[in-house]
Amino acid sequence: MSNLLRTLWAYRGFVFGSVKREFQAKYLNSLLGAGWAVLNPLAMIIVYTVIFSQVMQSRLPGVSNSFGYSIFLCAGVLTWGLFSEVVARATSVFLEHANLIKKLNFPRICLPAIVLSTALLNFAIIFGLFTAFLLLTGNFPGWVFFTLIPVFATIVLLATGLGVTFGVLNVFFRDVGQFVGVFLQFWFWFTPIVYPLAILPDWARKWVLLNPMTWLIGACQGVLVVGDSPDWLGLAPVLIAALVLCGIALMIFRKRVGEMVDEL
């Protein structure tokens, strides 16, 4: 692990340069340029707030705040967005950069690091806007907000472990990329993002609680909607699972990285 970190540090210029080029290319030839990075999530927050809080008058059970459901929905969708972006992009990153891998000699682990850095930059912009919304509407939860940091770290570990594993397998078995797209759609609805866990019948709740994202997104929603601290005891097995997945991903990556060029 220390060798891996030293390698990434030595190639930090390549990683950050690639993230910068990717960000610039995304908004190349657009009139507003990087302004779209702000406008898109801002539009989503406004739509969710106006539609669900004012038009549909949606309310969460046991929450009197008129913005409760909007905050619940934004917290879930934004957090899921970070997770799904890392998993989906890491799954295809080696195939997308096949020409680069074949022509240049560089540590291949830089590619997942670029994916992760880009996703974190996007999430920082979006979540920063959402935090500004919470402050402006008087719904900022206070110091408990900072307990989200280890929760986000666990989400990143889980997503990286899954994404790198799928990414390596996708080089050798191309069906993996298609499978992950479908799998993420089912996983989204299997996670209490647009509906509260409490409305599920007992038999369904038992299954949904086996989903690690239920605990992670539930922790974010609990902090942001009602100011509750995360359930650390419930999150501990999720953190262990995420670390084990990262270990498996690293093992598979090291074992197969030498064969990638032949397969691409």
Side-chain angles (χ1 to χ4, degrees), residues 81-139:
L82 171 65
F83 173 76
S84 63
E85 182 179 354
V86 173
V87 173
R89 291 214 53 215
T91 299
S92 60
V93 69
F94 298 115
L95 293 182
E96 287 176 3
H97 293 83
N99 287 333
L100 194 65
I101 291 174
K102 286 188 277 190
K103 291 176 182 174
L104 295 178
N105 185 22
F106 67 98
R108 308 313 190 221
I109 197 65
C110 289
L111 294 176
I114 292 168
V115 167
L116 184 57
S117 301
T118 304
L120 286 174
L121 176 61
N122 290 332
F123 183 71
I125 294 170
I126 296 172
F127 204 76
L129 284 170
F130 181 51
T131 304
F133 164 78
L134 295 176
L135 287 166
L136 289 172
T137 57
N139 288 290

Side-chain angles (χ1 to χ4, degrees), residues 151-223:
V151 178
F152 290 152
T154 306
I155 290 172
V156 167
L157 285 172
L158 183 64
T160 304
L162 283 173
V164 173
T165 302
F166 287 144
V168 175
L169 292 177
N170 196 28
V171 173
F172 301 94
F173 310 100
R174 304 299 166 87
D175 288 338
V176 171
Q178 303 298 326
F179 165 77
V180 169
V182 176
F183 180 59
L184 285 174
Q185 289 185 48
F186 279 101
W187 199 347
F188 176 86
W189 290 104
F190 190 58
T191 306
I193 294 172
V194 297
Y195 57 87
L197 181 65
I199 69 168
L200 295 177
D202 288 343
W203 68 266
R205 199 179 308 159
K206 290 175 184 173
W207 287 104
V208 170
L209 283 173
L210 295 176
N211 172 5
M213 289 304 289
T214 296
W215 294 91
L216 293 165
I217 287 187
C220 296
Q221 290 168 330
V223 168

Side-chain angles (χ1 to χ4, degrees), residues 6-37:
R6 274 200 295 271
T7 301
L8 287 174
W9 178 252
Y11 281 82
R12 63 190 181 282
F14 172 72
V15 173
F16 290 129
S18 299
V19 172
K20 184 180 176 182
R21 282 192 295 277
E22 196 168 309
F23 194 76
Q24 289 172 333
K26 189 175 179 181
Y27 302 106
L28 189 67
N29 295 328
S30 65
L31 290 176
L32 296 180
W36 289 112

